[in-house]
Amino acid sequence: MERSTEQPKTRSVPIEEVEQVVIRFAGDSGDGMQLTGSQFTHTSAVIGNDISTLPDYPAEIRAPAGSLPGVSSFQIHFGSTDVQTPGDQPDVLVAMNPAALKVHLPDLSRNARVLVNTDAFTPQNLKKALYESNPLEDGSLADFQVVKIPITTLNARALKESALPKKQLDRCKNFWALGLLYWLYDRPLEPTLDWIRAHFAGRAEIAEANAAALKAGFVYGEVGEVFTTHYKVRKASIEPGVYRKVSGNDALVLGCVAASLLADTPLLYASYPITPASDVLHGLARYKHVGVRTVQSEDEIAAMGIALGAAYAGNLGVTGTSGPGLALKGEMLGLAVMTELPVVVLDIQRAGPSTGLPTKTEQSDLLLGLFGRSGDSPVVVLAPATPADCFAIAIEAFRIAVKYMVPVVVLSDGYLGNGAEPWKLPRAADLPKIDVRHPNDPKGFLPYLRDPTTLARPWAIPGTPGFEHRIGGIEKADKSGNVNYDPANHQLMTELRLRKVEGIADDIPEAAVEGPLRGDLLLLTWGSTYGAVSQAAKKARAMGRSVGHVHLRHLNPFPRNLGDLLRGYEKVLVPENNTGQLRFLIRSRYLVDASGMNKVSGQPFKIREVLAKIEEFI
Amino acid sequence: MERSTEQPKTRSVPIEEVEQVVIRFAGDSGDGMQLTGSQFTHTSAVIGNDISTLPDYPAEIRAPAGSLPGVSSFQIHFGSTDVQTPGDQPDVLVAMNPAALKVHLPDLSRNARVLVNTDAFTPQNLKKALYESNPLEDGSLADFQVVKIPITTLNARALKESALPKKQLDRCKNFWALGLLYWLYDRPLEPTLDWIRAHFAGRAEIAEANAAALKAGFVYGEVGEVFTTHYKVRKASIEPGVYRKVSGNDALVLGCVAASLLADTPLLYASYPITPASDVLHGLARYKHVGVRTVQSEDEIAAMGIALGAAYAGNLGVTGTSGPGLALKGEMLGLAVMTELPVVVLDIQRAGPSTGLPTKTEQSDLLLGLFGRSGDSPVVVLAPATPADCFAIAIEAFRIAVKYMVPVVVLSDGYLGNGAEPWKLPRAADLPKIDVRHPNDPKGFLPYLRDPTTLARPWAIPGTPGFEHRIGGIEKADKSGNVNYDPANHQLMTELRLRKVEGIADDIPEAAVEGPLRGDLLLLTWGSTYGAVSQAAKKARAMGRSVGHVHLRHLNPFPRNLGDLLRGYEKVLVPENNTGQLRFLIRSRYLVDASGMNKVSGQPFKIREVLAKIEEFI
Amino acid sequence: MSEDRSAVLSRKDFVSDQEVRWCPGCGDYSILAQTQKVLPSIGIPREKYVFVSGIGCSSRFPYYMNTYGFHTIHGRAPTVATGIKTANPELSVWIVTGDGDGLSIGGNHLLHTIRRNLGVKILLFNNRIYGLTKGQYSPTSELGMRTRSSPMGSVDYPVHPCCFAVAAEGTFVARAIDSDTKHLAMVLERAARHEGTAFVEIYQNCVIFNDGAFDSVTERDDGTVHLVDGEPIVFGTNRGKGIRRKDGALEVVTLGNGVGEKDLLVHREDEPDPGIAFQLARMDAPGFPVALGVFRSVRRPTYEEMVEEQIRRAREEKGPVDLDALLREGECWEIK
Amino acid sequence: MSEDRSAVLSRKDFVSDQEVRWCPGCGDYSILAQTQKVLPSIGIPREKYVFVSGIGCSSRFPYYMNTYGFHTIHGRAPTVATGIKTANPELSVWIVTGDGDGLSIGGNHLLHTIRRNLGVKILLFNNRIYGLTKGQYSPTSELGMRTRSSPMGSVDYPVHPCCFAVAAEGTFVARAIDSDTKHLAMVLERAARHEGTAFVEIYQNCVIFNDGAFDSVTERDDGTVHLVDGEPIVFGTNRGKGIRRKDGALEVVTLGNGVGEKDLLVHREDEPDPGIAFQLARMDAPGFPVALGVFRSVRRPTYEEMVEEQIRRAREEKGPVDLDALLREGECWEIK
Ligand SMILES: Cc1ncc(C[n+]2csc(CCOP(=O)(O)OP(=O)(O)O)c2C)c(N)n1
Ligand SMILES: Cc1ncc(C[n+]2csc(CCOP(=O)(O)OP(=O)(O)O)c2C)c(N)n1
Ligand code: SF4
Ligand code: SF4
Ligand SMILES: [Mg+2]
Ligand SMILES: [Mg+2]
């Protein structure tokens, strides 16, 4: 490891091995906490730890510096085993100012370690954080292991030789803190030094200052005599391969791009910006070289119409939004149902109802996705389980849409969308092919003549001679697709649309159980609750409980074996971030007396909350 | 009975008594069938028969004269007992032209009587109706009692002394046919003669011609020697009182107006025209003298926003639409949920999905009404059982909305909206009061401080000094209503919104059973299926079957006793004009293995269809 | 799909097998007929035409055209058309809409489609009424009009569709009338050939709910003026009147007595200042003749051209695509 | 609710207890301050004010006003405001919206609200960017602008809000800028006093995502021109330039050398032909100064006035109402 020349003598601090650690970096929006967090993440990943992360931004664009609403944080969970969530509670909180301390303290358990930048605890900052007295002095932190470090001062001292103005130097203090944490958890500096070099290429002074700050923080750990021990987290036993950190939104973007290549069909993404879905638009806008067209439309209805028009014209048509936008798309999605076109709708759910809590997560659009249209209008509904799973789900959505000529709704959420995890990159050759067929023999062509197995109608696209035909939202005659007001035909077409979607159950994997196939309790989940519930169930089993876990990625239709699985357990519990939407579906479909665990606080489940509920239930 | 002076001698035709008759008048859109039908209805009502009617218009505005799509019809069911639907099948079809015959023949049972205007069976008209040969001559009507009458000729002959041009005289032929039917079913001419006088006041020649045509038709029955018998239908045993015929849409209009008077609060109705809801707009636009404001908005979203704004400003705010419009209103309705304002949404359902069959009926917006918004956003859902019940439901909707500060969705449908029945006019003094309260003491006022019983928040309206406050779609802090991002608060508020709606179950009547309280089969219904299912159940009981019937007017929340009722029967059957939406809810809520009877042909149930299903089930 | 095939197309190639279902006498018939007459002459093969409509009497149009067609939902045709045109710029995409469909529920999509200069044709059938829903006033109905939803008269001021299109930065804005079929055909052909959004308002008589709405325009000799590019604006019996500018506003003058054509406003379709097209489009009775013809026709890059250009450039800059390489573009690491 | 109470109102009566949460330096602060300063002088009691907004940074405005307020949903503020104003015409209803809220998702409601001449004020904060969603281009962003959603530059042509408002038949259309607070206050006061829809576009600097968007306008002496009713349109250093009409279009001239104020266009807010307001509203750099001030101010009956008048007439014609009588109005019969 390269060391700065000024490096003082090292003292020897004992090193202890731990399995898992959760760190939360918190500071003002201007303090660079997101960067700090993602550097720590990257380094941890590179050295082979299992990781999971969760950023938390303020709702305001730029709240006043030092204020409570201005606090920004980044949590990372890393370990040698079983990291599937960003962690229930931080073991270490790094608080760069009083507001950060105030906002995050309630999340800590007794004895958690709190690293504070004492320099920031000025009367002015304390006031902005609405502290009446200085928590570092009034004894209110007695339950925690507080480590007080004048980070600003130490950072300034380390950079005293830099020619940069004071203000700029101060902005390096997040690297100083990062260096200290690297020392504390025995991480190499290289990956971050590499990043600094690349990122500040051409701005040598800034690069140097940041590098120096990083190193200074590291060295401080070694010689500063504030820590009596430091920690080591072994490599996890991770499948070999090339990895990359992805958020759910990144993975959706890559999944869409991959689908386009796998289908050999251009993709058109139409969207109106909305938190937390906008990043999908931003991401896809960067794939023009793959032939991806993105249209930022005037509203969500337009986005749905544009995606539908693109699908009609033979593209992979897709739109993305969050809850309020999905509500707006209902009527147009109904048209997609009637015209049986392969369009995909991504909903990155946020906490509702109405504007709700736009930056917080929830899973409360399930029933909207299933039923938010007039008439009986079945669509396919899928949900990714983890950030990386968003990639596979996007491909699955297009596979089904195109094969069955049916709209598909994908329910991700803010927690998946913004949270990140390492993703083992698949090889293109191993990905499912998406088999796009357009009819080529005009003889006997009828726009609603169905494939006998899939019940799909032919995808005949404008521009192809001999297939000129008209479609629309009025009920269509079976086969010919002409406008038809005949009662029996409407009954038939309604049933056909339903049967087509139900039939897809034969073309999706059966639901799998983690844990025993029969037992006392089954946990049934969908979407982003996967990680926490899976871990909780595992822990419960480790404690001797007979607990199975089934996670659904296909919500309409359900896997064929779901009913049988549910009946294998004494009790069924459905933890959800809503007031009980999947539970509602399951009870109706299988007449199983499922109970709910319903958290609607805009926050994901913690493992221990689920564990406690399991204990309560068994 | 006044008779025309030219009246020939009467011959004596025997009269037979029957309990119930179903007549369908059918002709070209230009033939005046709607008028004929409603005159027959009115006369039958006046003489004390029980009645129920159903008009059926062409989907096109004005399809080519004589064409199949141009056929217009009106069905009336009248009798001395048990008339609750417009009738399963016509006993008599009056077909004014070949197209009318062709369209309606499939609905007739063997031996039904078919009255045809032979004059209209010209080669040209036969061709327009796509007849290859003349059905009056080719033996294809052998199964029916065909009565061939040259109505156009006879009508012209009767009016030969009128100075009106031939074309105008020909247009009187519907009155001639009406007169004949009056004779056939022994009805007085006065009510219609009165109507003619009033309606054509100032146009004496036309009035005279129509009156003469009516009388001529009547006389023809007596002397024409085509009928060997005529019929009498006794008075029904109808509760004494003043009656009026109302369609469901009329009754909604009157219910809204009544609610405004009962609440002593102006009503504002905002709507964008859509079939079959437009008549509510047309109707309410005529009540300006009651202070009703109607706004024809640019679209359905605007209508919802306008109604919400009106509610915020202290009016009874209401909007009305049909399915596709309801889908559009979802996001704005979500804002109503969050701001807890008393707004009412009327959905006159039509056959879907998408544009579907706009002029046909269906009940397939139930799940959309319940769930068509992002997030967990509970609303109250009501549904009228009969056309006249729309009046009471409108009042009930406002009563609940105002008392609980909650949005209420009312699900009527095309069948109720256009169908009509006699309605015993209530006395204003007997109607429920709607108790509107606005806070008057600014001290301690908080916009989200709830009434401990109803959980309603105060309705403080702009213009009132001392209550200035801000509301919106972002999650609100309990009590203060300020913007609030706190996790625990969102959980609390989500639960409060849910509990408020659930609590309304204590303030609605328990569900009542028609038939035995426990037994082999329970029929569970909602909305417009009431009449047919109630009749079918009654018939089944008369045949010795143990069949109960529960009809729901409150769909969210359900009546408290519903679960108990359901468990009293071996089997539960839910007949619905959709693919099983109420069944879905019931199964989930009560874990009852309810089966469905699902007709989605754009047509209401027939009594005998339901009866057959009952037989199949028991 | 050779261009040759189109050479032999005739009117009836564009007639579908569906029975036309408008009221006898409806102005829609004439517009349909002219469209079917004009298209064969454009030189685009039939399979490249797509007609997209919303909901309304007018919006049944696509069913009668033997081309690709999409009868969408109320007001949203421009959105579906945007998807189609952006996905495949080679198609000739025609939007058919009504005054309600296009300007009431669909006004916003119209605005944005026009301002983007998406290469589609927009035919707005203006009958100043909602036909399909049986006669309520529309955004182009005159103030005070009594309809089923306005028994005491409408309290909404009407909007002028062509002014709206000009304000939306339309590159081609024109007006025609159902009854003047020759002129209508000319305008349709001009629209067909325009690159960019071609917006055409067509006065259309609804015989059932608003019969004679344009009688005041068609009955009088001086009720209309036909705009001709590069010519002074003359109209009336024996071309005896003209439009002149006065203090920036427009006025009607009678020719003669020293007032000649040279004093009149000369119409320029490509006038850079759209304010003049705006003024001409807003002329209305009483006081002014209603202008028919092309108010504005300018060329600027279309939406789809710019989209394609970016794709071309991105492809050029980033070279050919390989999925494996593409997935590995981020910060990756290897676990062995 | 006597008018007297308002006489003693001051700026701080309009300041709510909520902490203002815009980025430091955001132009929204200035607009808020001017509004709070102007309202006490209007003579309307505080409880009669209602501020209605959509979603966006700008739309947080109502929280900071100690009046009634409704923070609705994206683009729909005009609809809720229509409900409020129609239900209670006595209220002074203010719509606060952004370029995205008002012209992207909400364009249609804006169009219809303006054309109905509903008596509300519409303040459109135009920062030419989506602020709240962190920086995507908006319908007023210039072509080619690079944002997170347009990494190679936007391919949408911008719309001019005031031209749009004029085309929507606006009776009061004006423009101001956050940085010129005195002029802004004057325009707000004029809007407050207008009867009918008062549409005000306010150039607003977003320091985070589009900082300096209006620098080209504010930096140069001749970047803007202030319109004054009844006066020739003069601008620039030492009022050395003016706007003149040439062949119907507008042109910039330098005064002197025989060109005097008398040759210039005289601004008339009540000019009957809205085409002139349209032209002035569309002036833009380069080539023209941007006009600030009132483009158009005319009086015509408002929506709510006409609604009230119909209700008054209906009441007069049909007399007092009794529910029993009302239910019995149709064709009734009695069963005994
Ligand atoms: C979402 C929705 N709202 C309302 C309607 C009902 N609707 C159908 S067409 C129409 C207006 C038709 O008017 P216009 O566009 O002028 O067409 P026209 O019939 O006059 O040609 C309306 C309100 C609908 N189909 N969908
Ligand atoms: C239905 C819906 N779609 C999208 C959004 C996301 N959204 C919130 S504000 C906004 C745009 C804001 O831009 P603008 O109106 O210009 O306001 P500014 O923030 O610039 O003041 C968007 C797209 C939303 N809240 N609701
Ligand atoms: S109602 Fe009017 S617009 Fe519609 S088809 Fe008939 S005449 Fe034409
Ligand atoms: S993001 Fe821009 S518009 Fe929004 S508050 Fe910040 S500076 Fe103002
Ligand atoms: Mg129309
Ligand atoms: Mg903006």
Side-chain angles (χ1 to χ4, degrees), chain D residues 58 98-100 125-131 138 204:
Chain D
S58 32
D99 44 327
F125 294 16
N126 186 4
N127 55 11
R128 298 190 177 158
I129 196 81
Y130 292 173
S138 91
Q204 172 247 326

Side-chain angles (χ1 to χ4, degrees), chain A residues 91-150:
Chain A
D91 301 304
V92 182
L93 171 68
V94 179
M96 298 298 281
N97 72 0
L101 183 68
K102 179 137 190 187
V103 167
H104 294 288
L105 206 63
D107 292 348
L108 301 185
S109 56
R110 273 175 81 106
N111 248 339
R113 200 188 286 262
V114 182
L115 255 82
V116 292
N117 174 13
T118 51
D119 289 329
F121 283 66
T122 60
Q124 200 191 5
N125 278 344
L126 287 165
K127 202 172 145 209
K128 282 191 198 152
L130 311 181
Y131 271 119
E132 315 243 302
S133 64
N134 188 339
L136 303 183
E137 289 160 10
D138 63 9
S140 61
L141 302 179
D143 283 351
F144 307 97
Q145 301 179 46
V146 182
V147 184
K148 303 181 195 172
I149 311 179

